Amino acid sequence: MPSKNLNPPPGLNLFPSLKPPQKTLAFHQILVLVITFLAYASFHASRKPPSIVKSVLGPNDHSNSSLTESNLNSTLLNSSSIDAGWAPFNGPRGTHRLGELDLTFLSVYSIGMYFCGHVGDRVHLRYFLVFGMIGSGIFTIMFGLGYWLGVHVLGFFLAVQVVCGLFQSVGWPCVVAIVGNWSGKEKRGLIMGLWNSHTSVGNIVGSILASGVLEFGWGFSFVLPGVLMIVVGIVVFMFLVVSPDDLGFESPGKEIEMDAEVDSVRSSEEKVESEKAGLLETGDSDSLAAIGFFETWRLPGVAPFAFCLFFSKLVAYTFLYWLPFYIRHTAVAGVHLSHKTAGILSTIFDMGGVLGGILAGFISDVIEARAVTSIVFLLLSIPALLFYRVYGSISMFANISLMFLSGLLVNGPYSLITTAVATDLGTQTMVGGNSRALATVSAIIDGTGSVGAALGPLLAGYISTRGWNSVFLMLILSIFLASLFLIRVARTEIKAKLNEGKWFWNSIGGH
């Protein structure tokens, strides 16, 4: 039955054929996935330019290379005009300044994430998301204007990154909450693994856009992604439907939640869990509409996955912000690559991340164990990073293969935790399956991860002056720590599976 108070976006009023009953629930579920995919891909595309222009802004130092002077001159001939760097990033402490630029953006982003998640559960999500997108686009463009205005003041770039980071923090809690409104629990890991490839796709698009126009001036590398963000923001405003209720549809998860309640009556273990849930409830049904910040931290699984993501995202964002710079300053088969080639080549890591997110989601659906899946990916990524550092410079084939494998294993758990895990935790029985807690849960998990994301690029900027071996050691240690936080959760998952097996065989034996 249609809802009395429908609230479709203006684009659906312009095109009535997109409304029900002409279009089904399944159509709008797909449409929401596509629009939110484009929205967050544009967020990531606008974050990519700083990593692409690092090798142009910063000091150009090939002293650690075996490349001969004559080969170096011929390789860099076409880009000699941009190798001088850009003050204040081209001095001896240029890599430090670049790291501090990343820290400024990501620190504000992580702090803003907590705030925006709290707000997201209380305001209209489409308006809030568009607000973040338009603001992000404007300030991404403003950073690029520093090129034409001849700005060499560090404070200008830091100030722009502060405001841009705040606008960017709006995106993730909004898109996760909207997708959570439209999705049931069936095949959540696979569907969200596919959907979460927007992160890697956005990185790839941002890298190609920023690298493609870099030769015309590094300002263009910011302007194009900024314009893209604004255009996609307009599409979101016109066509994104926040909730099935806005079109008169029944929420997809309601039948599942009712079945779960029936099953809980028959299961003594679920009775115990429902009694625990009662301890968290205040007795007022409205309190579940927007769960508090500190109450969210106490939900089962939130803290372990949040701290795991702290270290996992530290690694992922170090690659996001420094991989093109690393490729540019590390000879592959004895030859240094150009700025443009290094930027485009770095997209291989994100291509691996696309497959990694899908694979991690699929595996976690099959074995029904998110923590176990995450730990396996994390531990396998340690030898992958070692091989990439040691053997990645032997040949282009080795570099591409090992970079792809590293991206697959590093981004797999990162993708899984920020999507399927966050949605599971935000709609679990402890909050009554109410998706109004979802923005807060996803903000806490990704906000904590973003603190690690802020530290990673900063540490890489400082540690890289001692050599890249030290950077990779930091990354491997971070991955190991990330896996430690999930051990208890993984043990719980394994015990649950063993108990299910015992119950199954006992039930057969009883017959």
Side-chain angles (χ1 to χ4, degrees):
M1 292 292 295
S3 173
K4 292 182 180 179
N5 298 313
L6 302 184
N7 186 27
L12 269 63
N13 291 326
L14 289 175
F15 300 97
S17 61
L18 294 177
K19 294 182 181 181
Q22 288 89 343
K23 299 300 180 183
T24 63
L25 173 65
F27 170 84
H28 282 283
Q29 285 176 312
I30 295 172
L31 184 63
V32 166
L33 288 174
V34 170
I35 294 176
T36 52
F37 182 99
L38 294 175
Y40 210 68
S42 66
F43 272 107
H44 263 264
S46 68
R47 293 178 201 171
K48 195 63 183 176
S51 69
I52 298 300
V53 303
K54 267 188 173 70
S55 57
V56 175
L57 299 179
N60 183 34
D61 180 16
H62 299 291
S63 59
N64 295 328
S65 167
S66 60
L67 189 66
T68 65
E69 184 177 353
S70 59
N71 287 337
L72 176 61
N73 290 335
S74 62
T75 303
L76 303 181
L77 182 61
N78 293 330
S79 59
S80 59
S81 62
I82 59 176
D83 272 344
W86 185 273
F89 307 108
N90 61 345
R93 297 175 62 83
T95 55
H96 296 178
R97 300 287 85 80
L98 292 169
E100 290 162 5
L101 204 64
D102 297 337
L103 174 68
T104 299
F105 171 83
L106 292 168
S107 296
V108 175
Y109 174 78
S110 61
I111 295 170
M113 185 78 71
Y114 294 117
F115 172 77
C116 292
H118 188 72
V119 173
D121 280 331
R122 292 160 173 81
V123 300
H124 195 288
L125 287 171
R126 177 164 57 88
Y127 296 153
F128 196 38
L129 178 58
V130 171
F131 170 74
M133 295 184 72
I134 300 298
S136 297
I138 291 172
F139 279 88
T140 299
I141 293 171
M142 188 172 294
F143 193 106
L145 291 179
Y147 172 75
W148 289 285
L149 297 176
V151 178
H152 296 279
V153 179
L154 180 62
F156 169 82
F157 298 106
L158 292 176
V160 171
Q161 290 293 75
V162 166
V163 182
C164 191
L166 189 59
F167 278 113
Q168 286 265 332
S169 64
V170 172
W172 186 245
C174 289
V175 295
V176 171
I178 292 169
V179 170
N181 288 339
W182 284 90
S183 65
K185 211 168 184 181
E186 186 180 0
K187 296 183 180 178
R188 177 177 285 167
L190 175 60
I191 292 172
M192 286 206 151
L194 287 165
W195 175 74
N196 195 58
S197 63
H198 53 50
T199 298
S200 298
V201 170
N203 291 341
I204 293 169
V205 171
S207 296
I208 293 174
L209 286 177
S211 300
V213 296
L214 187 58
E215 60 188 296
F216 303 109
W218 62 261
F220 286 105
S221 298
F222 287 87
V223 170
L224 259 64
V227 171
L228 174 66
M229 170 72 84
I230 294 173
V231 170
V232 177
I234 295 171
V235 173
V236 169
F237 176 78
M238 294 296 295
F239 294 102
L240 181 61
V241 183
V242 170
S243 171
D245 295 336
D246 292 340
L247 295 178
F249 291 119
E250 191 82 5
S251 296
K254 285 189 176 179
E255 295 88 351
I256 296 174
E257 290 167 17
M258 291 175 64
D259 292 340
E261 290 178 7
V262 173
D263 291 339
S264 68
V265 175
R266 300 171 183 172
S267 171
S268 59
E269 290 184 8
E270 291 189 13
K271 282 182 181 179
V272 173
E273 188 171 349
S274 66
E275 290 173 4
K276 293 179 181 177
L279 296 176
L280 290 178
E281 294 178 0
T282 64
D284 181 1
S285 60
D286 291 339
S287 66
L288 288 176
I291 191 170
F293 179 83
F294 294 106
E295 287 84 354
T296 305
W297 272 105
R298 294 202 296 267
L299 293 175
V302 169
F305 277 108
F307 289 119
C308 172
L309 190 63
F310 174 95
F311 290 102
S312 181
K313 204 167 180 179
L314 183 154
V315 176
Y317 267 65
T318 299
F319 277 98
L320 173 67
Y321 280 91
W322 285 96
L323 184 57
F325 187 90
Y326 170 75
I327 295 172
R328 170 67 175 155
H329 289 76
T330 305
V332 178
V335 177
H336 278 283
L337 304 176
S338 67
H339 296 286
K340 181 177 180 179
T341 303
I344 294 175
L345 185 62
S346 68
T347 61
I348 300 297
F349 184 86
D350 295 301
M351 292 178 186
V354 172
L355 181 59
I358 296 170
L359 193 60
F362 174 75
I363 293 173
S364 71
D365 277 345
V366 172
I367 68 175
E368 296 181 336
R370 312 287 196 204
V372 172
T373 304
S374 298
I375 287 178
V376 170
F377 271 72
L378 288 168
L379 293 180
L380 288 176
S381 67
I382 292 176
L385 291 182
L386 284 173
F387 285 134
Y388 177 63
R389 173 57 185 161
V390 175
Y391 300 109
S393 60
I394 291 177
S395 66
M396 185 63 75
F397 175 78
N399 190 286
I400 291 174
S401 301
L402 293 172
M403 193 192 311
F404 183 89
L405 180 62
S406 298
L408 185 153
L409 295 170
V410 167
N411 284 342
Y414 162 40
S415 170
L416 182 64
I417 293 171
T418 54
T419 53
V421 169
T423 306
D424 289 346
L425 297 176
T427 55
Q428 60 183 299
T429 56
M430 303 294 272
V431 290
N434 195 314
S435 63
R436 291 293 291 167
L438 189 50
T440 302
V441 171
S442 61
I444 282 178
I445 291 177
D446 202 51
T448 304
S450 296
V451 176
L455 290 177
L458 174 71
L459 292 175
Y462 279 84
I463 297 174
S464 63
T465 58
R466 302 180 180 179
W468 287 103
N469 287 339
S470 299
V471 175
F472 275 81
L473 179 62
M474 175 196 74
L475 299 178
I476 290 169
L477 178 61
S478 298
I479 290 172
F480 178 72
L481 292 173
S483 63
L484 289 182
F485 279 102
L486 293 186
I487 288 179
R488 289 187 63 183
V489 183
R491 286 174 58 188
T492 302
E493 290 178 346
I494 293 170
K495 284 182 180 179
K497 287 297 169 187
L498 293 175
N499 289 336
E500 284 180 13
K502 289 178 182 178
W503 176 85
F504 175 76
W505 290 112
N506 289 338
S507 63
I508 293 178
H511 290 294

